[in-house]
Amino acid sequence: MKFTLSWLKDHLETEASLAEIVERLTAIGLEVERVDDKASLKPFVIAKVLTAVQHPDADRLRVLTVDTGDGKPPVQVVCGAPNARAGLIGAFAAPGTYVPGIDVTLSVGKIRGVESHGMMCSERELEISDEHNGIIDLPEDAPVGTSFAAYAHLDDPVIEINLTPNRPDATSVYGIARDLAASGLGRLTGGAIMPHAGEGMCPVKVKIEAPDLCPGFALTLVKGVKNGPSPKWLQQRLLAIGLRPISALVDITNYVTFDRSRPLHVFDANKVAGNLVVRRAKDGEKVLALDGREYTLTPEMCVIADDNGVESIAGIMGGEHSGCDENTTDVLIESALWDPITTARTGRTLGIISDARYRFERGVDPEFMVPGVELATKLVLDFCGGSPTEIEVAGYAGHKPKIIFFPLSEVKRLTGIEVPREEALAILTRLGFEPRSSGDTVEVKVPSWRPDVDGKADLVEEVMRIHGVDNILAQPLTSHDAVNGRILTTLQVRTRAAKRSLAVRGMMEAVTWSFIPAKHAELFGGGQNGLKLANPIAADMSDMRPSLLPGLIAAAQRNADRGIGDVALFEVSGTYEGDLPDQQRRVAAGVRRGTAKLDGSGRSWSGNAGLVGVFDAKADAIAALEACGAPVDRLQIEPGGPAWYHPGRSGTIKLGPKTVLGTFGEFHPKTLDALDASGPLCGFEVFVDAVPEPKAKPTRTKPKLELSPFQAVKRDFAFVVDRSVEAGTLVRAALAADKKLVTGVSVFDVFEGASLGTAKKSIAIEVSIQPVEKTLTDEDFEALAKRIVENVNKQTGGVLRA
């Protein structure tokens, strides 16, 4: 939101300086982003051309002698403007002056052999307008030697504030002045608008067919107007805030939009056929808007139409057909109320960003609908003449103010500051609220221009921003006698640990979208039972992801498409299988592509590295689980996994028969085809939130783990079992032989051959034995070995290999 200082002072009677105003704006929540004090125009002075003679070597140049009014001899200036003549008074820039319109700092130079000490400037060179056919020509009484910016009222500072969406009242200069006055920086003025005396009823009637989209509509006709340029002061204000002056009628609507946050529209009455109708657009209906673009409309959009069709996109932009031009003689001035949600949705769908949409989608003051027409009519009569009719009002049932019961103690409870009762009530009153005191709880009527105020906390905010949040004193944090407990939750600790573990393994972290296409969600277990979005931001982002793998595979493929085929990516984030809390999980997932193995990738002196496979994904999954605190030595690996993995090259990680901690494997070719990806690709997913909590740590007086003083021993066994027997089953059987002495079992060889028999294999294991009470004798070892053999035979049918 931009405005000039003089514009603000139209509504704020104050002696405060620019610096004080800027500081106060930020203090009351209207953060100032930038102040342009027009310093670039200060060096330009009013000067008079004394003589103008033809340049000796150029037909289109003249050599001028210019009196700058500083008491020194006239300076010589070479000028190419067609209107340069003796006696002309204009704006002069001396050497060393920066000219913003041409982005040049002047210096003394020679033009076709003649020295030039400065330049006489056009309006475009000073960025006053686009006019550049000649230099500025001022009246004869313009004071030579004085500041041109001050004379032309161009030294008006421009203030730009950053507005939050909850402050629609501050989208007007008057609203900003009201806040400053409420803060004690001056007195609010210029708010009264006198109604005009109309001549008869407006001949054009309004019919509202969509009252849910248009709660009110005001219209008046002004006959006999003469459209032309708007006054200079109005043009300068619009230029200062970045708007291009067009004509008096159009400039008036822009001025009222910024001055009072009341967007308006003017129709050329002679181009409107019949009465106006506010309705929903017909599917496929088109309109040529004022920006010169044609838009195709849908039934969810609201329009203003006449007998010829759509004349305006409601609340956003008018149509080109009924726009005003220099031939306009009769105008219809429209001021209406539009549904904020519909306005925002229409503007976003059509891609139109306008000042009207900016205000309507935040909410305008409904009580200013009719006064807005009155103000615009007065300006039209002042600038263009004409005679108005009475105002036609349709659909407006009046504003029903909100009533909030406000305990004044809430200020202290929510902010920690004791604001005196009288001051709090005075602040609310100055802001336009109407408090009615009734004990400790005050009944507060909310003004029509504050649709953002809904409850007690909003009123506390209003009191505090005017009272001053800088009055909140700094308070030191209270110290504790004991050492603080941990801050992070178990899930946060595990997330951080999993990320570090996977990064150490050479994988790079990726952040993918939580929204994926429906067909990808179905591929990874979503589909009918998945979580679909009611209002997706795009057609291919319709479902919440049931797995992290689709996004990671897509990211790996994008890298491959750009020539980086060997990538290892991971992500630790949430997946969504439904809208219930227990259907949302924290998952660590990763993919490897090409030759992106842990031990290096790509080409080397010894040849190409091997391709990634199922065991790379398994190692990544185990590392992530170990970082999360899972008991890796007790994990069970079962062959096979979800349908998106290759059935013979995948596995499922379990802790016990029921707890699934993760899956891993090489991806099924059909999965890659559906994702438009190419391999080799392997990946994994581990469920961080499924890892059981660790047991309590040992205390000082009772250590959980005692180191044994006796020597550990290892023994090897080789068993012949059926080919269908899993190595993990044999390992668990050996461990169960004596849980106190056997501390570990690992497989170091698997052999198949004709010497073993048909459908047989040999599995060799190493058993770690740790005595804890005494040194084991040969008899003890023989007894333990016998139990191991018997246990393996009982559970797997294996026999010792001869």
Side-chain angles (χ1 to χ4, degrees), residues 638-688:
E638 293 185 356
W644 50 87
Y645 291 117
H646 191 292
R649 302 175 187 174
S650 59
T652 300
I653 306 173
K654 288 187 174 182
L655 183 62
K658 295 182 179 180
T659 305
V660 177
L661 296 185
T663 60
F664 62 90
E666 299 177 24
F667 292 106
H668 199 291
K670 291 183 178 180
T671 301
L672 298 180
D673 286 343
L675 296 175
D676 198 21
S678 59
L681 265 165
C682 67
F684 71 91
E685 278 188 305
V686 296
F687 309 118
V688 176

Side-chain angles (χ1 to χ4, degrees), residues 712-719 730-748 763-771 776 781 784-789 792 800:
V713 180
K714 294 183 178 180
R715 290 287 185 268
D716 294 344
F717 299 83
F719 294 95
L730 192 146
V731 168
R732 289 192 294 273
L735 281 170
D738 192 320
K739 295 183 178 179
K740 192 172 183 180
L741 291 176
V742 178
T743 58
V745 178
S746 61
V747 178
F748 67 86
I763 301 178
I765 61 173
E766 180 185 72
V767 180
S768 299
I769 305 169
Q770 176 62 66
L776 299 181
F781 281 115
L784 178 60
K786 184 178 179 181
R787 290 197 299 273
I788 292 173
V789 173
V792 170
L800 275 178

Side-chain angles (χ1 to χ4, degrees), residues 450-471:
R450 291 303 301 271
D452 58 303
V453 176
D454 290 313
K456 298 179 292 184
D458 296 325
L459 294 177
V460 172
E461 181 182 359
E462 292 303 301
V463 172
M464 283 311 305
R465 70 184 183 88
I466 301 300
H467 176 73
V469 293
D470 52 345
N471 290 323

Side-chain angles (χ1 to χ4, degrees), residues 103-295:
D103 192 23
V104 168
T105 299
L106 299 178
S107 61
V108 176
K110 285 187 176 182
I111 302 176
R112 293 289 185 93
V114 178
E115 279 194 352
S116 181
H117 297 261
M119 70 180 295
M120 299 295 291
C121 302
S122 67
E123 291 189 356
R124 190 174 72 172
E125 288 159 347
L126 270 62
E127 294 186 334
I128 301 173
S129 72
D130 293 333
E131 178 60 44
H132 64 285
N133 291 326
I135 57 179
I136 296 172
D137 192 349
L138 299 177
E140 294 182 357
D141 58 352
V144 176
T146 61
S147 168
F148 171 75
Y151 172 81
H153 303 289
L154 297 176
D155 56 347
D156 197 2
V158 178
I159 304 170
E160 182 177 1
I161 64 174
N162 181 23
L163 284 181
T164 53
N166 68 317
R167 290 300 307 277
D169 60 303
T171 59
S172 70
V173 180
Y174 185 81
I176 295 169
R178 178 170 48 224
D179 267 15
L180 287 171
S183 71
L185 204 64
R187 186 175 68 87
L188 187 66
T189 61
I193 298 175
M194 298 299 295
H196 67 268
E199 300 177 4
M201 301 300 294
C202 179
V204 179
K205 303 302 178 183
V206 179
K207 181 181 179 181
I208 300 178
E209 294 182 353
D212 55 324
L213 305 184
C214 178
F217 197 106
L219 186 72
T220 189
L221 173 68
V222 182
K223 297 180 179 180
V225 300
K226 185 178 181 181
N227 194 17
S230 58
K232 201 69 175 178
W233 65 267
L234 179 52
Q235 293 186 37
Q236 290 171 352
R237 285 188 175 176
L238 295 180
L239 285 168
I241 63 174
L243 295 180
R244 181 173 61 89
I246 298 175
S247 66
L249 292 174
V250 177
D251 294 352
I252 287 170
T253 62
N254 287 330
Y255 176 76
V256 176
T257 297
F258 279 83
D259 189 66
R260 295 301 184 95
S261 190
R262 178 62 259 181
L264 304 165
H265 185 63
V266 288
F267 299 89
D268 188 324
N270 295 321
K271 298 176 183 178
V272 174
N275 295 323
L276 296 180
V277 178
V278 178
R279 58 172 172 82
R280 297 179 186 274
K282 300 173 183 177
D283 194 19
E285 202 167 21
K286 296 184 178 182
V287 59
L288 180 63
L290 287 171
D291 59 0
R293 296 171 58 189
E294 186 177 69
Y295 296 96

Side-chain angles (χ1 to χ4, degrees), residues 314-336:
I316 297 178
M317 186 173 290
E320 179 74 24
H321 172 262
S322 58
C324 298
D325 55 32
E326 66 277 4
N327 299 318
T328 298
T329 57
D330 301 334
V331 293
L332 288 167
I333 305 175
E334 166 255 307
S335 173

Side-chain angles (χ1 to χ4, degrees), residues 563-607:
I564 306 174
D566 303 319
V567 291
L569 305 174
F570 78 89
E571 182 173 10
V572 185
S573 189
T575 61
Y576 310 88
E577 299 172 4
D579 55 359
L580 299 177
D582 60 349
Q583 294 176 309
Q584 301 178 17
R585 311 197 67 174
R586 179 58 59 91
V587 178
V591 297
R592 290 183 183 271
R593 189 186 187 282
T595 60
K597 303 170 77 69
L598 178 61
D599 56 352
S601 64
R603 299 170 59 187
S604 68
W605 64 271
S606 59

